[in-house]
């Protein structure tokens, strides 16, 4: 397996070096791409690509917006949790409905900007700060997932990042272009 990344992130560098240290990858299999962001990289089956988009908020911690596992003819996108942060300002939007809508738009942007669409989503995990908000969340969710309902889990948690009301993460199987 080769891991492609632009290595701009200190966290990414630490992860790659840690994987090398524990023998998860051989040095010859870890490729550090210092190419410009618009450079085309040929991915092989098993390669892991760190993904992002200008249309999603920057991560607020030590993680990437998502990863893309390249396979034979298709890839699997794994997203990190998306919350209702405006990607332009980095500020959490106000109110439950606005946060759910923004989080789902962020999720959609991350998947679309990396070669997929919401019909490619196979699974979502929803995190709510209060389960009594489930019907509101589900109503907004159904406007994004209209004719294709992926497998889904919904759980209530004590606290979410930035004390938001809602967070969503997803897995999508996308065809290679």
């Amino acid at each position: 397996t080769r891991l492609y990344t632009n290595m701009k992130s200190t966290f990414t560098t630490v992860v790659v070096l840690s994987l090398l240290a524990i023998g998860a990858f051989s040095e010859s299999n870890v490729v550090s791409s210092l190419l410009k962001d618009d450079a085309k990289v040929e991915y092989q089956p098993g390669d892991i690509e760190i993904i992002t988009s200008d249309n999603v908020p920057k991560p607020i911690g030590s993680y990437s917006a998502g990863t893309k596992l390249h396979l034979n003819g298709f890839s699997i996108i794994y997203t990190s949790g998306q919350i209702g942060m405006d990607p332009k300002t980095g500020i959490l939007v106000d109110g439950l409905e606005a946060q759910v809508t923004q989080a789902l738009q962020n999720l959609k942007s991350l998947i679309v900007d990396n070669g997929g669409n919401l019909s490619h989503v196979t699974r979502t995990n929803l995190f709510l700060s209060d389960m009594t908000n489930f019907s509101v969340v589900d109503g907004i969710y159904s406007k994004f997932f209209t004719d294709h309902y992926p497998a889904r889990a919904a759980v209530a948690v004590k606290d979410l990042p930035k004390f938001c009301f809602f967070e969503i993460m997803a897995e999508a199987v996308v065809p290679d272009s």
Side-chain angles (χ1 to χ4, degrees):
T1 302
R2 291 184 290 175
L3 177 69
Y4 284 93
T5 178
N6 61 17
M7 298 296 279
K8 290 180 182 173
S9 158
T10 302
F11 173 74
T12 302
T13 304
V14 170
V15 168
V16 170
L17 293 175
S18 297
L19 290 169
L20 284 170
I22 63 171
F25 298 103
S26 68
E27 187 172 349
S28 64
N29 288 4
V30 178
V31 177
S32 193
S33 173
L34 298 175
L35 303 172
K36 295 183 191 270
D37 290 337
D38 59 349
K40 180 73 174 150
V41 176
E42 283 293 321
Y43 294 101
Q44 302 299 314
D47 289 347
I48 300 169
E49 176 186 3
I50 305 300
I51 62 171
T52 191
S53 166
D54 291 336
N55 299 311
V56 299
K58 302 288 183 241
I60 59 174
S62 302
Y63 59 92
S64 63
T67 57
K68 190 174 190 180
L69 173 61
H70 294 269
L71 300 167
N72 287 318
F74 66 97
S75 300
I76 302 173
I77 292 176
Y78 301 93
T79 73
S80 292
Q82 296 297 313
I83 62 175
M85 284 177 53
D86 182 303
K88 305 290 185 248
T89 65
I91 296 172
L92 190 66
V93 297
D94 289 331
L96 172 67
E97 292 177 9
Q99 285 185 22
V100 173
T101 302
Q102 185 65 60
L104 283 158
Q105 183 57 54
N106 293 343
L107 180 78
K108 179 180 178 181
S109 294
L110 183 60
I111 292 170
V112 168
D113 292 353
N114 285 282
N117 61 57
L118 291 182
S119 70
H120 294 131
V121 174
T122 59
R123 178 180 174 183
T124 60
N125 293 320
L126 312 181
F127 304 94
L128 292 79
S129 63
D130 184 342
M131 194 53 80
T132 61
N133 293 329
F134 180 79
S135 62
V136 172
V137 169
D138 189 58
I140 297 167
Y141 181 96
S142 68
K143 292 176 183 172
F144 283 82
F145 295 96
T146 56
D147 59 348
H148 166 78
Y149 297 115
R152 178 175 82 179
V155 296
V157 296
K158 183 178 179 303
D159 291 316
L160 289 165
K162 296 197 172 274
F163 299 102
C164 65
F165 300 120
F166 174 79
E167 182 173 6
I168 183 169
M169 54 192 292
E171 297 169 9
V173 178
V174 299
D176 288 343
S177 50

